[in-house]
Amino acid sequence: MHDATATLDQVRPGRPLRLAFVSAVVSLAAAFTVVGSTVPLFNIYRAEEGFTNAGISMTVVAYSIATISTLLVLGRLSNHVGRRPTALASLGLLLLGCLVLLNVHHIGVLIAGRLLMGLGAGLASSSLTAYIVDAAPTRPTWLASVASSQTVMFGLAVGAIASGALVQFGPWSRELIYLVDVGLVLLSMVLISISPEAVNPASGVWRSLRPSVRVPARVRHVLAVAAAVFLPTWATGAFYQAFVPALVEDQLHTDSSLVLGLVFAAYMAPSALGAPLGGRFAPAAAQRVGMTAFLVGWIGTITAIATGGLPLFIAATIVAGAGQGIAISAATRGLLYGSTLADRAPIFAVIYLLSYSGATVPSLISGQLSNAFSLPQIVLGYGALALIGTAFTLVAARDPHADTISRPDEQPRFRGC
C-alpha cells in the first residue's frame, strides 16, 4: 500500500488546469445557486401550505445536519477517488434535491429535498473547493482563497435573486426555478466531465470514511479565531434563510418574492466583493476589519427592524455581507497557508464543519424559541452572537507563522501542476 500524500503530490505534469479551475468555480456556484433558490419560495409555502416559522427553520437544520454529516464522513474522499468523481456525485445529489422540490405540498417533502441538497452541498464543499485551489493560477495570490470561499456566497446570491424574479414574474412560480437549477447542474456535470483531474487516485479510501477532523499543525493556532469568524457569519446566513422571509413580510411590510431574494442576496453578494479587499491585508488584520464591519452591519439591521425601515435594513445587510466576505476569505487564507494537495480537502472539511455548525445550532435553538419569542427578540440573540465573535477576533486574531513554510515539503502551493 503506497502513501496517499505522496500520490497526491505527484500530479500529472503539464496537464492544463485552467479548464478545471473554470469548471470547478462554475460548478460550485451552480451548486449553491440551487441551495439559494429555495429561499424566496418559503413565503409561498407559508401562505399556500401553512408551513410555520418553526417548520421552515427545521428545513435549514435538516440541510445543515446533512451537510455536516457528509463532511465528517466524506470530507477526505476526493483525496482518494479524485476531485472529478466526487464533484459529479455531489452534483447528482443536488439534482435529486431539485426533482423532489418540484412537488412540495407537505413540510416533510421540503425537508427531504433540502436534506438531499445538504448532502450534495457537503460533498461539493470539500471536493469542489479543493479542486478550485488545486487548479487556481498562482497570481494573484489571493485568487485561490477568494474563489474557494466566496463562490459559495455568489451562488447563494444568484440563486436567491433568480428565484425571486421567476417566482414573481415567471410562470409556474413553484416549479420553474427548479427546472432552471436542473439545467445548471447538468451543464456543470458536463464541464466537470471534460476537465482534467487535479489529483491521482490513492489507496486508503475506506479509511478515509472514518469521521475525522484535522488541520495541519502549522495553522492550528489560527483555528480558534477562524471559528469565531465562521460561526456567527454562517449563523447569520441561516437566519436570513429561516427568518428573513417572515421578517420582510411581517416587520418590513412587503410580500414581494423579488424583494425577498434581493434582501438575501444583499447579504451574500457583497461577501464576494469584499473578499478581494481583504487580500490587501494580512489575514489577522483582514479578519479584524471584516468582523468589525460585520458587527456594524448587525447594529444597523437591529435598528432597521426596530424602526421598520427597509432601505436601512438592506444597507446594513450589505455592510454585514461585505464584512463577512473580508473576514471569511482571510480566515480561509490563514488556514490554507502552506497547504499541500493532501491538506486541502481536510482543511475545507473543517472550514465547512465549523460554518454549518454555526448555521445549524442557532437555527435549531431559534426555531424552538420562535413559538415563545417574537422575531425582533430572536434578532437580538443573533446580534449578541455577532458581538461575541467580533470581540474574540479583535483580541485573538493571529497571522500564520512565517517559519511554517521553511521546509521544502511544505512550500505553499495553489496549483495542481
Side-chain angles (χ1 to χ4, degrees):
M1 183 177 294
H2 56 284
D3 181 68
T5 303
T7 303
L8 285 168
D9 286 328
Q10 294 170 0
V11 184
R12 305 167 196 174
R15 287 298 298 271
L17 288 183
R18 183 174 300 176
L19 175 61
F21 176 72
V22 172
S23 297
V25 169
V26 169
S27 298
L28 188 62
F32 283 89
T33 294
V34 170
V35 173
S37 65
T38 312
V39 177
L41 286 161
F42 284 160
N43 272 349
I44 290 182
Y45 296 145
R46 283 202 315 151
E48 296 182 2
E49 306 297 339
F51 296 170
T52 64
N53 289 336
I56 296 294
S57 181
M58 283 307 299
T59 69
V60 177
V61 172
Y63 166 83
S64 299
I65 288 176
T67 305
I68 290 171
S69 302
T70 305
L71 288 166
L72 278 172
V73 178
L74 302 178
R76 296 174 295 163
L77 183 64
S78 69
N79 280 355
H80 299 273
V81 303
R83 308 294 194 219
R84 291 170 63 245
T86 315
L88 289 171
S90 72
L91 294 168
L93 288 165
L94 288 161
L95 181 64
L96 287 176
C98 291
L99 296 177
V100 169
L101 293 180
L102 283 171
N103 187 29
V104 175
H105 294 288
H106 188 276
I107 191 66
V109 175
L110 182 57
I111 290 174
R114 293 290 287 177
L115 189 144
L116 283 168
M117 287 183 175
L119 295 173
L123 205 52
S125 295
S126 61
S127 61
L128 283 170
T129 48
Y131 201 10
I132 287 170
V133 176
D134 295 342
T138 55
R139 299 292 181 208
T141 55
W142 48 261
L143 180 61
S145 63
V146 170
S148 57
S149 64
Q150 299 306 314
T151 300
V152 170
M153 304 302 178
F154 175 78
L156 289 169
V158 169
I161 293 173
S163 178
L166 290 178
V167 167
Q168 187 157 339
F169 301 113
W172 317 316
S173 60
R174 293 171 56 143
E175 296 86 17
L176 181 58
I177 184 60
Y178 297 124
L179 296 175
V180 173
D181 288 342
V182 167
L184 284 175
V185 172
L186 291 175
L187 172 63
S188 300
M189 295 177 82
V190 171
L191 288 173
I192 294 294
S193 297
I194 63 175
S195 297
E197 178 58 76
V199 300
N200 290 324
S203 60
V205 61
W206 294 112
R207 288 202 314 273
S208 76
L209 301 182
R210 289 181 299 189
S212 174
V213 178
R214 70 172 180 86
V215 295
R218 62 181 172 272
V219 293
R220 285 176 189 162
H221 69 286
V222 302
L223 186 59
V225 172
V229 170
F230 296 134
L231 292 175
T233 54
W234 278 68
T236 301
F239 164 78
Y240 272 76
Q241 291 184 59
F243 292 103
V244 166
L247 194 65
V248 167
E249 183 172 358
D250 300 340
Q251 303 294 131
L252 302 177
H253 315 298
T254 176
D255 59 0
S256 167
S257 296
L258 180 57
V259 169
L260 175 56
L262 289 171
V263 167
F264 183 64
Y267 181 65
M268 297 301 174
S271 179
L273 299 176
L277 298 177
R280 299 175 179 270
F281 303 92
Q287 288 173 86
R288 291 189 181 102
V289 170
M291 289 302 289
T292 300
F294 174 71
L295 180 59
V296 169
W298 253 113
I299 293 171
T301 298
I302 292 170
T303 304
I305 292 170
T307 60
L310 182 60
L312 175 59
F313 184 83
I314 293 177
T317 296
I318 291 171
V319 172
Q324 74 143 359
I326 295 171
I328 289 175
S329 178
T332 302
R333 181 156 48 100
L335 290 172
L336 285 173
Y337 193 77
S339 66
T340 65
L341 283 167
D343 294 331
R344 290 168 195 161
I347 287 173
F348 277 112
V350 170
I351 288 171
Y352 283 105
L353 277 171
L354 290 171
S355 301
Y356 282 109
S357 295
T360 303
V361 176
S363 291
L364 185 60
I365 294 172
S366 56
Q368 296 302 310
L369 293 178
S370 66
N371 295 320
F373 293 90
S374 67
L375 280 178
Q377 290 172 323
I378 289 173
V379 166
L380 291 176
Y382 280 93
L385 183 60
L387 175 62
I388 293 168
T390 302
F392 185 79
T393 301
L394 291 174
V395 171
R398 299 290 184 271
D399 289 320
H401 296 316
D403 60 359
T404 58
I405 60 171
S406 59
R407 296 191 299 276
D409 63 327
E410 290 191 350
Q411 288 298 313
R413 281 169 283 180
F414 294 101
R415 285 183 64 92
C417 56

